[in-house]
Amino acid sequence: MQSKTFGASGHVLVCRCEEVSIAQMEQACRMGVDTVRQLKMATRVTMGACQGRVCRQLVESWFYNQVPAARREAELLSQRPPVRPITFGQLAEGGSL
């Protein structure tokens, strides 16, 4: 597996919710991660409050750039919407959820 070096940009956060940096993802790849789902399990990337709605596409693009031979269709990351969206007004009122 061929890995690119990002230098100082390795400390750039890719997943703000879980505070996962490029350097952490690079380390996971060096340790043998070979699917994007394994990357998620190794680093917790896309597992934060937004559930990947902000960083999923960036993570997948970065990973497939690092590991071009990875099976793309095998394990795509999922987005998980809230069970039932509510407004801030409903939340403030403390009404029935």
Side-chain angles (χ1 to χ4, degrees):
M1 175 170 62
Q2 199 173 19
S3 179
K4 295 180 181 174
T5 304
F6 287 90
S9 68
H11 298 290
V12 172
L13 293 181
V14 175
C15 176
R16 294 180 297 184
C17 297
E18 289 294 318
E19 298 184 358
V20 178
S21 68
I22 291 174
Q24 290 170 300
M25 294 192 317
E26 285 178 330
Q27 181 180 7
C29 286
R30 284 191 297 273
M31 292 174 56
V33 166
D34 61 358
T35 67
V36 73
R37 179 136 175 88
Q38 288 176 0
L39 179 66
K40 177 180 181 175
M41 296 297 117
T43 64
R44 293 195 50 82
V45 70
T46 76
M47 293 176 75
C50 81
Q51 292 292 293
R53 285 185 293 280
V54 174
C55 64
R56 181 186 55 84
Q57 289 181 323
L58 178 62
V59 169
E60 287 176 347
S61 295
W62 179 88
F63 180 77
Y64 292 125
N65 188 38
Q66 297 300 300
V67 188
R71 299 172 304 176
R72 292 178 188 252
E73 69 282 350
E75 299 182 31
L76 297 176
L77 297 178
S78 62
Q79 296 178 11
R80 298 183 184 191
V83 174
R84 187 179 78 193
I86 62 170
T87 66
F88 283 116
Q90 290 171 317
L91 187 60
E93 291 172 3
S96 174
L97 301 177

